[in-house]
Structures are given as structure tokens and as C-alpha cells.
Amino acid sequence: MKMDERDLDHFFRLYYRQLCIYALHFVENAGAVEDIVQDAFVALWQRKDEVKDLKPYLFSSVRNRCLSFIKKRQPDTQDLPDNLPEEDLEDRSEIETRLWTAIDTLPERRRQVLLMSKRDGMKYEDIAYHLGISVNTVRNHVSKALESLRNIPLKIYSLFFCAG
């Protein structure tokens, strides 16, 4: 594939978040994940004239780098984390990417309250106390955030909000 720096920048913006989420299924260290994904893009740039199919190359590169990272940390590890086939992990990371992109579009305070409630499992009273707002304001923020996110496919919504 013929690629220039603008193409690389475009692909980086297009796939970076999804690849990071994908890598998090293997490696739970966010700093290491960012390094792994960035290294995969460096490798892509170095092999830009050889790579035929970009997306599979990037996912394979990130997966292999994650497995190498795990083996360096835990030499006896043989199974993939989550025991999910690679294709399932790619699909899940794409779904999670869409969800986080939708959450990123929420107003800052609404996003903060939603994440404290749904991601962190905090009670409305605790959120209100922590942020210095009323419980009713917390309830309104969560309600409006969920209303905004209901426009995304059910599969994505349930992944984040209905997971045990």
C-alpha cells in the first residue's frame, strides 16, 4: 500500500482508540497499551510499502505485541486473556469504541456524573456529595445522558450499562 504521512495520520486517528481498547483486552496497563499501539503504527510506517490490508495488519500487530508483552511479564502464560477468539475481540473493541465516542460527545459534567454512576458504581448520594450538587441534579444528569445514548445500537448500550 502506498502511504504518505497524511495517510498515516488519517489511519492513526481512525484506528488508534479502537486498537487501544482491543489491546486492553490483553494488557490491563493503559500506559503499556498506548506504547504497544504506537509501536504498531511505527512498524506500519516502516513496512508501508509491504502492507496490503491495513486493518488486519494493525490488529495482528497489536495482538502479537500484546502477547509478547504478556510473555515477558508472565513467561508461563499460554492462554489469551478472556479466552475470546481474536475476531470477537476485534468486534467488541469496535463496539466499545463507538460507545466511548458517544460518551465523549456528552457535556462534560453530564459525562462525569454518568461515568461515576455507571462505570464506577457510585450511588447518586455519593456523587452528589463528591461534586457538591443535589441528588436530583445527579439524577437529571444520568437520565439525560442515558436518553442521549439510547440512540446508539442496543448491543453497544447493553455492553456498558447492563454488564454485571
Side-chain angles (χ1 to χ4, degrees):
M1 156 181 254
K2 294 292 181 188
M3 182 185 318
D4 63 19
E5 289 177 16
R6 281 190 317 211
D7 294 328
L8 181 67
D9 183 61
H10 169 75
F11 292 126
F12 184 84
R13 292 176 191 273
L14 184 63
Y15 292 116
Y16 180 77
R17 177 180 248 176
Q18 184 178 353
L19 289 166
C20 284
I21 291 172
Y22 174 70
L24 279 169
H25 289 282
F26 297 96
V27 177
E28 294 179 357
N29 177 319
V33 161
E34 289 180 356
D35 290 343
I36 287 167
V37 172
Q38 289 170 11
D39 288 347
F41 276 99
V42 169
L44 170 65
W45 181 251
Q46 291 170 342
R47 300 186 66 197
K48 65 183 182 255
D49 295 330
E50 303 167 30
V51 175
K52 302 284 187 242
D53 203 355
L54 182 87
K55 187 175 178 180
Y57 172 83
L58 284 170
F59 274 92
S60 293
S61 180
V62 168
R63 179 181 184 272
N64 292 338
R65 289 170 196 286
C66 287
L67 295 176
S68 293
F69 178 85
I70 292 168
K71 286 181 182 180
K72 285 179 186 175
R73 294 277 165 111
Q74 303 165 359
D76 296 333
T77 302
Q78 294 179 7
D79 294 330
L80 293 177
D82 296 335
N83 295 322
L84 293 173
E86 183 176 352
E87 185 177 305
D88 290 345
L89 290 176
E90 287 180 34
D91 291 344
R92 185 174 173 145
S93 67
E94 185 175 340
I95 290 167
E96 291 171 358
T97 299
R98 283 191 232 144
L99 173 65
W100 284 107
T101 300
I103 289 171
D104 285 346
T105 66
L106 296 173
E108 184 176 340
R109 180 55 69 124
R110 190 169 297 158
R111 180 177 59 244
Q112 180 185 24
V113 170
L114 176 74
L115 292 175
M116 292 172 83
S117 171
K118 299 300 182 182
R119 180 194 60 198
D120 302 338
M122 292 177 69
K123 295 180 180 180
Y124 287 1
E125 294 81 12
D126 296 335
I127 296 169
Y129 176 78
H130 182 73
L131 297 178
I133 58 178
S134 74
V135 173
N136 197 38
T137 300
V138 170
R139 195 172 286 118
N140 286 336
H141 276 305
V142 171
S143 175
K144 287 179 181 179
L146 293 176
E147 186 177 314
S148 296
L149 295 176
R150 279 188 176 80
N151 295 328
I152 60 177
L154 180 62
K155 186 175 179 183
I156 298 171
Y157 181 84
S158 64
L159 172 76
F160 190 71
F161 298 105
C162 301

